[in-house]
Amino acid sequence: MEPCKRKMCCLQFFCFVLIGLFALETYASSGTVFYESFDESFEENWIVSENKDYLGVWNHSKSLGHDDYGLLVSEQARKYAIAKELNKPVELNDGTIVLQFEARLQNGLECGGAYLKYLRPQESGWTPKAFDNKSPYSIMFGPDKCGGTNKVHFIINHKNPKTGKYVEHHLISPPLVPSDKMSHVYTAILKPDSEVVILLDGVERKKANFMSTEAFRPSLIPPKTIPDPDDKKPEDWDDDKTIPDPDAKKPEDWDEDAPMEILDEEAEKPEGWLDDEPEEIDDPEAVKPEDWDDEEDGEWEAPKIDNPKCESAPGCGEWKRPMKRNPKYKGKWYAPLIDNPNYMGVWKPREIANVEYFELDKPNLEPVVAIGIEIWTMQDGILFDNILIASDEKTAESVRDATWKPKFLVEKANLREEEQAASNDGLKGIQKSVFDVLYKIADLPILGDHKMKVMELIEEAEKKPTIIVGIIISLAVVIVSPLLKILLAIKKKPVNAAPKKDAGKVTTTEVGEDASAPKRRNTRRDG
């Protein structure tokens, strides 16, 4: 990057930081329930899982191109687990709750997760050191991408009050994961009217209602009735909608044994067909290897090659008539289908009351007692930052403006510069190819005395690429001019002069022959 551009980017970033610091002052209010900036080392407040399956190493690292620190996934193809216990449980059913965090996929994401788990109360004796994929959570939120999966997960673990079992409910059609390597902020707003809103970089991408039967899979409220698992289809149930017509008869002229193809009796052997020539012959240039042992290796045979005589002939070897479609072929006869008079419809088991059904006016989520990151990823360079739980949307917006936005704007500006530089490099490559062609044209013999003029034009175009189109037009004129002169000169020269009769002798002026030069005579005898 040029020095002036670096200064400009630094100045922009400094301005953004000042704005961010001002906004950061405004967000530090009663709306903040939990906030982790990772400005300081995480080791005192976050506990790395001691489960033997989680060998990934977490680092306290700066975001690329910034002085802002975050929690970094440092190794590829590893499982990671880390958790932070909250000072007090966070209730999710009273009023508005906003879950927000930043994630930057600095090396992209081909296969892995970058989501957070908001853990519910654990079993007695549980500690963050035992955190793993079986540790129960209330909400799982964030990016996940691998194979056919590409989504920003929003999953709730909801307790069925009838059975006491917890069921995972996945948000249907969540947002896609951004495909770039910039900082992005993910926000989930849980509202008291049972609505959830997903924001990506502060922009609404998904809205749903917890109580809707079409928002989550499976729906939060189970169906009132379910198919009876013990009900069986009666043996005499006829569910064939159509049947073969019992009154239909096969036509007398229907020959099921007629073959699909027959010999083409009208075909004739092509003229020049070489019946006695094989399609392949021994390679006449092949030589038996000196170390070939007939007793051990067997009798040596020259490798085969295509018969060169067959290349110019329509074919070699025994000629056989080709096959053609048999006009009498009909195949196996089947009776046509008719409506089944005994059709009883598609059988379904009877519906019975669902013992797991319950009624609820709003979701009843378990409180959050800890925040955990438990992922498996093939990519390193995933950076988590600015994890927030807030009780109002304004606080979350203030944090976004103060922490994420300044970085994102700088990254966006840098990306534009990189794309412009790449575009310029591509244009230079095209220009080089054009000039290579032009220099080859300048070496054409037909240009003659014009060669120096053409070279001057090309050199001028290399100094000023913006005038290349005009230069190419000028070159075209210079190159075409001598070609036109040659063509016109050819047209002016006679192909054959009119024959002159002189006492039975015919004299002809040859093309390009000087008329004043002695003429060559062609003498013929009158027969």
Side-chain angles (χ1 to χ4, degrees), residues 251-287:
E252 293 182 0
D253 62 346
W254 192 288
D255 185 0
E256 292 185 341
D257 298 326
M260 184 183 291
E261 290 184 329
I262 58 174
L263 286 173
D264 185 357
E265 298 294 345
E266 297 178 356
E268 295 182 357
K269 183 169 65 174
E271 186 177 350
W273 188 281
L274 304 177
D275 298 81
D276 300 328
E277 288 290 340
E279 293 182 357
E280 290 185 335
I281 61 172
D282 292 341
D283 186 354
E285 297 180 1
V287 179

Side-chain angles (χ1 to χ4, degrees), residues 147-168:
T149 299
N150 181 0
K151 63 181 72 175
V152 177
H153 280 300
F154 185 82
I155 306 171
I156 61 171
N157 244 325
H158 193 267
K159 185 178 181 179
N160 186 313
K162 273 281 191 73
T163 65
K165 294 189 299 185
Y166 287 89
V167 179
E168 280 190 1

Side-chain angles (χ1 to χ4, degrees), residues 127-306:
T127 67
K129 291 182 179 181
F131 178 43
D132 60 13
N133 62 334
K134 296 179 182 178
S135 301
Y137 61 87
S138 286
I139 294 176
M140 177 175 135
F141 174 49
D144 188 21
K145 185 179 180 183
C146 192
T149 299
N150 181 0
K151 63 181 72 175
V152 177
H153 280 300
F154 185 82
I155 306 171
I156 61 171
N157 244 325
H158 193 267
K159 185 178 181 179
N160 186 313
K162 273 281 191 73
T163 65
K165 294 189 299 185
Y166 287 89
V167 179
E168 280 190 1
H169 303 274
H170 295 243
L171 180 64
I172 296 173
S173 300
L176 299 178
V177 179
S179 58
D180 55 54
K181 300 178 181 179
M182 297 193 293
S183 300
H184 293 285
V185 58
Y186 301 87
T187 310
I189 306 169
L190 285 67
K191 298 186 176 183
D193 61 355
S194 300
E195 192 174 68
V196 58
V197 181
I198 307 297
L199 309 182
L200 179 54
D201 296 342
V203 178
E204 181 180 311
R205 294 297 179 88
K206 180 72 178 182
K207 181 186 289 186
N209 193 291
F210 284 112
M211 311 310 294
S212 170
T213 57
E214 299 178 355
F216 287 83
R217 186 179 295 115
S219 60
L220 197 68
I221 305 298
K224 283 186 177 183
T225 62
I226 60 171
D228 183 355
D230 298 324
D231 194 13
K232 306 297 180 183
K233 183 173 73 171
E235 292 183 2
D236 60 348
W237 187 278
D238 194 342
D239 53 8
D240 292 325
K241 194 171 186 178
T242 60
I243 59 171
D245 185 355
D247 299 325
K249 304 295 182 183
K250 183 174 71 172
E252 293 182 0
D253 62 346
W254 192 288
D255 185 0
E256 292 185 341
D257 298 326
M260 184 183 291
E261 290 184 329
I262 58 174
L263 286 173
D264 185 357
E265 298 294 345
E266 297 178 356
E268 295 182 357
K269 183 169 65 174
E271 186 177 350
W273 188 281
L274 304 177
D275 298 81
D276 300 328
E277 288 290 340
E279 293 182 357
E280 290 185 335
I281 61 172
D282 292 341
D283 186 354
E285 297 180 1
V287 179
K288 179 180 177 180
E290 293 181 0
D291 58 350
W292 186 277
D293 189 328
D294 290 337
E295 293 183 1
E296 293 186 6
D297 303 325
E299 184 181 355
W300 182 81
E301 294 181 356
K304 300 289 186 181
I305 62 170
D306 291 336

Side-chain angles (χ1 to χ4, degrees), residues 53-57 73-80 109 111-112 375-382:
D53 292 335
Y54 298 90
L55 302 177
V57 176
V73 169
S74 67
E75 298 176 306
Q76 299 178 354
R78 287 281 189 272
K79 286 184 177 181
Y80 292 80
L109 186 64
C111 190
I375 58 175
W376 175 86
T377 177
M378 294 300 293
Q379 275 70 48
D380 58 356
I382 301 174

